[in-house]
Amino acid sequence: MNFSIEHLEVINAQEILIAGQQGLYLFDSQKISQQFILNEYVTGLYTDKHLKLIWVLTDQKIYHYHPQSKKLTLYLKPLEPTLGLYRSMNNTYWISGLSDTKQLNLTKKQKEPLGDQLDSLLGVYNIWEDSIHQRMYLHENASTYHIYKNRKKEKSFSLNGRVGGQVIPRGSNKVWIVSDIGITLIDRKQLTIENFIPPADWPSSSLTGIAQDKRGIIWISANTQLLSFSSSGKPLRIFSQKEGFFSAPFQSGTLRPLDENNYIIGGRFGLTQFNTEDLEKNLPLPNISLTRLLVQGRPYHALFPTDTSILEKNFFKLKYNQNSLALRLVAIDFSMPANVKIQYYLEGQEKVTEAATRNQFSEIRYSKLAPGEYRLMARAANAHGDWSPWEQKFKLEITPPFWMRWWFIVLVSILCIFMLFGLVQLYYRAQLREARIRNEEQERILRDIHDLTSGKVVFFQDFQTFAEQEIPHPEAKTKALGIAEQALQLFKRISAAVRNSTESDSTLVEFLHQLIAESRKNVGTKLGFSAKLDSSIPYAWVAGKYKNQLRLVVQEALGNILKHAQASNVLIQIGVEGGKLNIVIQDDGKGMSEAQIAQIKPTVSIQESGNGLGNMLHRVNNIGGEIKWANKQGTCVIISIFLQKIRPRRKIFPNFI
C-alpha cells in the first residue's frame, strides 16, 4: 500500500481507520473500502470506549466516526486546529490546541478552562493515566513531562521530542516511555527517572511506538526498524526491511495490536502487518567460523605457508611436538551480536557434558594434547537462545613420535622378551655355578672328614672284631660291642651332618625319596623297614637348611628305635594334607608312657647331649613345625610342618657372577 500513514486506529482485526495528509480512509480486508475526508489534514484519532466511537481531529474540525454504521459526522468546528484529545477516568475530556489545553463540555460542545493552565499536548499519547496509583501523566508542548495526582502536580522533568507511546511491562514497576530522544523509565512508586541505554549498535532515538505481546516481549518501533526486548529489558533482536517491514519510515503512535500476537504498524509507504511468533520462528541461527589458529604460539599459515586458508580446511595433521593450539571461533549474527553464544568441546579430550559456553568471539586454548585423533564440535545460539545443532568444525590428528608407533612397540617387546630369556638363562647358570661350587666344597669337607676319621673308624671296626673273637666273658663282650657300635654310629652321623650342612634346595618329591632311601640304609637289616609315600605329593621346593633339619630329626627317631624301642619293624608314612607335610614314624616296640611323653622338653641348643628327644623338639620348633609322640602299639612320632614355611626364600640373581 503506497500511502503515507500518520495516524491509525484499530477497529477490529479486519477494519482499520487510517489517516494522513491525504485524508481519512477505512481500510477493510487488505484494501481501502471507503474515503471520508479529502481536503483536511487529520491531526489525531482517539477511540472513546465510553461513547463507542472514534474522535477524528483535523486542522479545521472535530468529527465522530461510528464503527457500526461506518459513518462520519461533524461534531465541532473549533477556532484553532485540534491536536489531541483524551478522556480521563473521571470522565473529563481533555482537548489540546495550538496554544493551550482545555476541558471539553460535551453538552455545550465548547471548550472550558481547566484549573491549571497547560500548554499544548501534542497528540493522543501525550496524556494518559495510571489507574493503580491514580496518577495522570502529561507531556506538555513536547518538552516537559508532568505527573499529577488528584489534580496536584507531583513531579516534572524535561523530555524533549514527540512521545510515541508508553507501556508498563508485566511484572515490572516501571513505565517505559518512547520518544524522539530514546527510552525513559519512570518508577511508579518512587517517581524516579532514568534513561534506558540500549546496545551501542541499536537505534537510541527517533522511537515511534511501543507495545507488549502476550508472552511479555516488548516491541519498539524506531524510524526504520523494529526492536524486541524481554520483559526484564534484555535486548533481543532488530528487524528491518529484510524481514518485510517495507512501510518504513514508521510514524509516531502507529504500532497497534490486532490481537494477542498480530500487530500492525503504519509508515510513509503504507501498512505492515506482522506476527510476533512468526518473527521469532524465522530468527536465523548464527554461522560459526574458524578465524584464527595458532600452533605452539605461531600462526598456522606461518608454519604451513603453502597450505590453504584455515577457513577452507576441515582437517589438520600436526606432529607430536605441535600439540598446543590457540584458536578463535566467531558466531556471525548482525542482528544482536552481543547476545550470541557459542558452545564447544574437543571430542577425544572432552565430553559433550563438559562443553564450554562463550560469547560471540571465543578464544579457545588446548595445550599438550596427547597423540591421537580429535574433533572440534561447536554450536551457536541466537539472541532468543535457540541453539543450532552440533557441527564438526575440523578434525585434528596429532601423529605420535616413533617410540609410540606400533612397530616400535612390537620391536621393543620382542627385544624385552629376548632380554628376559637371556637373564633367566644367566640366572640358572649362576645357580648351577653356585651348586657346583657348593658340591665341590662339600666333597672337600667329606674328604677331610674321611681323612680325619678313617683311622678311628678302622680302629673301632678292628676293636669290634677283637671283642667278638677274643673276649670270652659274655657281659664284657656285649658291652665292648655296644661301645664300638656307638662310636661307629657317631662317626657316621658326623659325616652325614657335615654333608647335610651344605645341602642344596630341591623339590619335595626328590627330598622325600632321598629321606626314605637314607632311612632304609640306616636301619639296615636290624629292623623290618617299610615306607608309604602319598602319590598326591605336590610340586614344591624345599630349602636345603630345612631338609637338613628334617633329615636329622628322622635319623634321631630311627636311632632311638634301634637303641631303646626293642622293636622288630618300623613304618614311615609321608603325605600332604591341608598344606601341611606330615611324616609319621611308627614302630612295634615297647612304646612310651604318657609320663615319659609329658617330660619331653626342648633343649636350649642343639649342642646339648644326652637328650635326643629334646633335640628333636628343638629342631622342629626352630623351623616352625610341630612334633608329637604317641603310644599306639609302639611309639608313634608325628612331624608336621606347613610347606610354605620350608620353601626357599629366593633372591633375585643370588651370587650372580
Side-chain angles (χ1 to χ4, degrees):
M1 177 181 178
N2 190 8
F3 184 87
S4 178
I5 298 175
E6 296 187 5
H7 308 281
L8 65 83
E9 202 68 33
V10 176
I11 301 172
N12 52 53
Q14 287 75 34
E15 295 181 338
I16 303 170
L17 202 61
I18 60 176
Q21 294 181 0
Q22 296 91 337
L24 180 67
Y25 300 87
L26 178 64
F27 189 76
D28 186 6
S29 301
Q30 307 297 323
K31 64 180 180 178
I32 294 177
S33 61
Q34 203 167 352
Q35 184 176 11
F36 297 101
I37 303 174
L38 288 178
N39 300 319
E40 297 180 31
Y41 176 64
V42 179
T43 60
L45 300 175
Y46 176 73
T47 299
D48 191 338
K49 294 182 180 179
H50 177 68
L51 298 179
K52 298 181 181 180
L53 54 81
I54 298 175
W55 293 81
V56 180
L57 312 178
T58 71
D59 57 349
Q60 301 175 18
K61 302 171 185 176
I62 298 177
Y63 297 90
H64 282 167
Y65 175 77
H66 303 274
Q68 293 184 349
S69 62
K70 299 181 181 181
K71 293 182 178 181
L72 186 71
T73 60
L74 178 64
Y75 173 75
L76 179 65
K77 187 175 181 181
L79 298 177
E80 62 178 355
T82 303
L83 302 178
L85 186 139
Y86 179 79
R87 174 182 170 271
S88 61
M89 291 182 293
N90 61 1
N91 291 325
T92 298
Y93 281 83
W94 300 65
I95 187 166
S96 175
L98 291 175
S99 59
D100 58 9
T101 299
K102 294 182 179 181
Q103 181 178 344
L104 178 63
N105 190 320
L106 297 182
T107 304
K108 298 180 180 180
K109 294 186 179 182
Q110 65 182 15
K111 296 180 182 181
E112 297 177 354
L114 294 171
D116 291 336
Q117 182 67 26
L118 287 174
D119 204 344
S120 175
L121 302 177
L122 303 177
V124 295
Y125 285 103
N126 292 270
I127 178 170
W128 66 283
E129 290 175 287
D130 184 351
S131 60
I132 295 178
H133 294 277
Q134 299 296 316
R135 287 193 179 99
M136 178 173 284
Y137 295 77
L138 303 170
H139 188 210
E140 183 181 10
N141 203 24
S143 61
T144 307
Y145 218 93
H146 304 291
I147 302 176
Y148 286 84
K149 187 169 186 178
N150 299 325
R151 295 279 182 128
K152 293 182 180 180
K153 188 183 299 184
E154 286 189 302
K155 192 162 188 175
S156 297
F157 61 93
S158 176
L159 182 63
N160 294 319
R162 191 172 183 180
V163 171
Q166 57 276 323
V167 72
I168 302 174
R170 287 192 287 273
S172 174
N173 197 44
K174 294 184 178 180
V175 182
W176 286 48
I177 302 174
V178 297
S179 65
D180 290 340
I181 63 171
I183 303 174
T184 303
L185 306 182
I186 303 177
D187 190 293
R188 300 167 69 191
K189 292 182 178 180
Q190 306 298 328
L191 294 183
T192 55
I193 312 298
E194 63 177 300
N195 293 323
F196 180 85
I197 308 300
D201 52 346
W202 279 40
S204 59
S205 62
S206 300
L207 306 181
T208 61
I210 184 170
Q212 186 178 31
D213 65 17
K214 68 174 184 178
R215 292 160 304 159
I217 296 178
I218 300 172
W219 299 86
I220 296 178
S221 59
N223 186 26
T224 59
Q225 296 168 312
L226 187 66
L227 318 178
S228 62
F229 298 81
S230 68
S231 58
S232 61
K234 177 184 176 182
L236 298 179
R237 195 188 172 197
I238 300 177
F239 301 90
S240 60
Q241 288 188 353
K242 65 180 182 180
E243 283 82 23
F245 292 92
F246 298 109
S247 61
F250 304 125
Q251 296 294 339
S252 179
T254 60
L255 177 60
R256 301 294 184 87
L258 295 175
D259 52 34
E260 291 181 336
N261 287 315
N262 288 295
Y263 284 77
I264 195 168
I265 188 170
R268 185 178 300 172
F269 299 101
L271 291 172
T272 299
Q273 182 178 341
F274 62 95
N275 184 285
T276 56
E277 288 185 343
D278 291 341
L279 286 179
E280 292 183 4
K281 290 179 182 178
N282 297 329
L283 189 65
L285 296 173
N287 295 321
I288 304 175
S289 298
L290 175 66
T291 61
R292 186 176 69 173
L293 176 61
L294 302 180
V295 180
Q296 301 300 117
R298 298 184 60 190
Y300 181 82
H301 62 83
L303 293 174
F304 306 97
T306 60
D307 206 348
T308 58
S309 171
I310 58 173
L311 295 174
E312 304 174 2
K313 290 185 66 65
N314 54 17
F315 176 72
F316 298 94
K317 187 172 184 179
L318 303 174
K319 298 179 180 179
Y320 70 93
N321 56 356
Q322 298 174 331
N323 58 350
S324 294
L325 307 179
L327 52 100
R328 176 188 293 165
L329 292 179
V330 176
I332 302 174
D333 186 350
F334 298 106
S335 63
M336 187 56 196
N339 287 353
V340 173
K341 300 295 181 183
I342 292 178
Q343 278 190 339
Y344 65 89
Y345 70 97
L346 189 63
E347 188 178 278
Q349 174 84 357
E350 301 164 326
K351 299 179 180 178
V352 64
T353 54
E354 301 172 340
T357 303
R358 298 289 186 269
N359 56 19
Q360 182 188 20
F361 299 94
S362 298
E363 301 289 343
I364 307 172
R365 295 181 182 275
Y366 292 102
S367 60
K368 298 181 180 179
L369 293 174
E373 293 186 354
Y374 303 91
R375 294 196 308 158
L376 183 67
M377 308 298 294
R379 64 175 183 170
N382 57 27
H384 286 179
D386 300 325
W387 288 94
S388 63
W390 287 104
E391 60 175 313
Q392 175 182 306
K393 297 313 299 179
F394 63 79
K395 183 178 180 181
L396 172 66
E397 179 183 353
I398 299 179
T399 59
F402 72 90
W403 59 83
M404 294 181 66
R405 301 294 182 92
W406 68 267
W407 54 267
F408 184 83
I409 295 174
V410 171
L411 179 61
V412 171
S413 300
I414 294 174
L415 292 176
C416 289
I417 292 173
F418 277 108
M419 289 178 62
L420 181 62
F421 179 77
L423 292 174
V424 171
Q425 291 294 319
L426 290 175
Y427 169 75
Y428 281 108
R429 288 182 183 180
Q431 291 289 313
L432 293 175
R433 187 182 298 109
E434 181 184 0
R436 184 172 64 252
I437 294 173
R438 187 168 57 247
N439 291 336
E440 291 175 355
E441 181 67 15
Q442 180 179 345
E443 292 296 329
R444 185 188 66 78
I445 294 173
L446 291 176
R447 285 195 300 270
D448 292 344
I449 293 176
H450 180 269
D451 294 340
L452 293 172
T453 61
S454 58
K456 297 175 178 58
V457 172
V458 172
F459 169 77
F460 281 106
Q461 288 176 345
D462 293 342
F463 178 78
Q464 192 177 31
T465 302
F466 171 78
E468 182 73 30
Q469 297 177 357
E470 300 297 335
I471 298 177
H473 195 278
E475 185 178 351
K477 178 186 292 189
T478 302
K479 188 174 182 178
L481 289 174
I483 293 172
E485 180 65 25
Q486 289 182 3
L488 288 173
Q489 290 296 329
L490 177 61
F491 284 118
K492 289 181 180 179
R493 290 175 62 185
I494 291 173
S495 177
V498 173
R499 182 176 65 253
N500 293 334
S501 64
T502 58
E503 191 72 60
S504 61
D505 301 343
S506 66
T507 62
L508 179 60
V509 174
E510 180 184 0
F511 163 66
L512 295 178
H513 280 291
Q514 291 176 355
L515 183 63
I516 292 172
E518 291 176 358
S519 300
R520 180 180 283 111
K521 183 177 180 181
N522 290 336
V523 171
T525 60
K526 299 174 184 178
L527 292 173
F529 181 85
S530 60
K532 293 183 179 180
L533 182 62
D534 194 347
S535 60
S536 62
I537 298 295
Y539 178 82
W541 281 80
V542 184
K545 60 179 181 179
Y546 298 123
K547 289 168 54 179
N548 182 34
Q549 297 296 324
L550 289 173
R551 184 181 283 111
L552 291 176
V553 171
V554 173
Q555 288 179 358
E556 183 70 30
L558 293 175
N560 290 335
I561 293 173
L562 289 171
K563 290 186 289 184
H564 308 294
Q566 300 178 8
S568 301
N569 298 289
V570 62
L571 170 65
I572 297 180
Q573 301 182 76
I574 304 175
V576 174
E577 183 178 358
K580 276 186 176 182
L581 173 66
N582 300 313
I583 302 175
V584 181
I585 304 172
Q586 176 74 52
D587 65 59
D588 58 355
K590 63 181 182 179
M592 298 176 64
S593 66
E594 295 294 332
Q596 290 176 320
I597 295 174
Q599 292 177 355
I600 301 175
K601 303 294 182 184
T603 57
V604 178
S605 65
I606 299 300
Q607 283 72 22
E608 294 185 29
S609 60
N611 189 3
L613 298 179
N615 285 343
M616 293 170 63
L617 185 58
H618 178 85
R619 290 182 188 277
V620 175
N621 289 342
N622 194 41
I623 62 175
E626 183 180 14
I627 184 170
K628 296 179 181 179
W629 285 268
N631 191 356
K632 296 180 181 179
Q633 298 179 355
T635 302
C636 180
V637 182
I638 304 172
I639 305 167
S640 300
I641 187 170
F642 281 102
L643 292 177
Q644 187 69 28
K645 293 187 176 182
I646 61 176
R647 287 179 179 174
R649 293 178 175 84
R650 298 191 178 275
K651 300 178 181 178
I652 299 177
F653 307 127
N655 302 319
F656 182 82
I657 56 175

